[in-house]
Amino acid sequence: MFPTASRVIHANFSTPSSRSAFNADRAAMAARYEGSLKRAFHARLVVAALGLAAAIFFASSRAEARPRPSATMRRLAAVALVFATVAAWAQELKLRIISTSDLHTHVVDYDYYRDAPDDSLGLARTAGLIKAARAEAKNSLLIDAGDTIQGNPLGDYVAKEKPLGDGQVHPIVRAMNLLNYDAAAIGNHEFNYGLEFFAKAISGAKYPMLSANIYKEQADKATAPTLVPPYTILDREFTDEAGAKHKIRVGVIGFTPPQIMTWDMA
């Protein structure tokens, strides 16, 4: 069994022409990913089958002299074993990775600067694309690449004008919870309102928030822990192309752009 993967890039739009371009890009990317992985899998399968056949042949030819099946029967048994192995390995399991990025608190299709609806914006619009991408695949994961809690007047409002109270969930985090995100990386803009608000904003997430290169400050830097978990292991049950179910563990690691040390120096 060898997993293949396809990816869906985040799109912050929903007009018909934009959707057509998005779907074309998604189909092309999926074909490239799956084609390259299938070629690698088939090549490995051929090598493994040849190696297994050779091992059986040499083992049988070097066995101690004793009554044994004829050479023809041994060869038939070897061929049958090789084909059984190939058949077992040939069951593909495809996993689609759906990713979003730079949501910047665009929860709904509204431009706060123009004070007018805008159907090219909003996770609410992108949610339809996510639903369609999930429906196309037996197995999928939804991952965000960061920069979620800052970026428009709604983000400013819940950070400064009417800060989140105890137990309240940040609007973009609540929307991502409803979409059942599997994991998210911490982006540089997550720190624009300070560490205290950052901690409060992500506390309501029902999915792991990850960064492997942001550390807590302490005297011994060599043993400093990361600010948030560096990675997570997702235990999932996926279905292969033959309909069989498999328990799969998927590792997800997050990284924050190191340029934040310059961008947020002030």
Side-chain angles (χ1 to χ4, degrees), residues 199-244:
K200 182 174 289 187
I202 70 169
S203 65
K206 295 181 180 179
Y207 47 90
M209 304 283 285
L210 312 169
S211 180
N213 60 336
I214 301 289
Y215 296 87
K216 294 181 179 179
E217 186 176 13
Q218 66 178 40
D220 186 0
K221 295 182 179 180
T223 60
T226 54
L227 183 63
V228 296
Y231 67 89
T232 188
I233 304 295
L234 304 174
D235 291 296
R236 297 291 186 268
E237 184 175 82
F238 293 138
T239 304
D240 67 23
E241 293 303 285

Side-chain angles (χ1 to χ4, degrees), residues 67-225:
R68 60 178 187 261
S70 67
T72 300
M73 290 300 295
R74 291 200 307 274
R75 292 190 181 94
L76 287 175
V79 171
L81 181 57
V82 169
F83 275 103
T85 303
V86 169
W89 285 7
Q91 299 299 337
E92 289 184 329
L93 191 156
K94 297 181 180 180
L95 172 59
R96 168 165 286 179
I97 307 299
I98 308 171
S99 66
T100 58
S101 181
D102 296 275
L103 296 175
H104 288 293
T105 323
H106 289 292
V107 179
V108 297
D109 50 351
Y110 196 85
D111 186 335
Y112 293 97
Y113 297 102
R114 294 192 299 110
D115 195 19
D118 186 342
D119 64 7
S120 70
L121 297 173
L123 183 58
R125 290 280 181 171
T126 306
L129 299 174
I130 293 172
K131 181 179 180 180
R134 280 172 163 164
E136 293 171 356
K138 288 187 177 72
N139 315 295
S140 64
L141 294 174
L142 179 58
I143 310 291
D144 185 76
D147 287 353
T148 57
I149 67 173
Q150 179 276 347
N152 70 11
L154 175 60
D156 293 337
Y157 182 77
V158 298
K160 298 179 178 180
E161 297 299 322
K162 191 176 182 180
L164 293 175
D166 293 337
Q168 289 185 315
V169 180
H170 194 286
I172 192 68
V173 172
R174 183 183 292 274
M176 294 170 74
N177 285 341
L178 290 173
L179 288 172
N180 295 316
Y181 272 76
D182 293 283
I186 300 297
N188 55 285
H189 285 287
E190 262 67 83
F191 299 99
N192 287 165
Y193 300 121
L195 291 175
E196 184 178 349
F197 180 78
F198 161 76
K200 182 174 289 187
I202 70 169
S203 65
K206 295 181 180 179
Y207 47 90
M209 304 283 285
L210 312 169
S211 180
N213 60 336
I214 301 289
Y215 296 87
K216 294 181 179 179
E217 186 176 13
Q218 66 178 40
D220 186 0
K221 295 182 179 180
T223 60

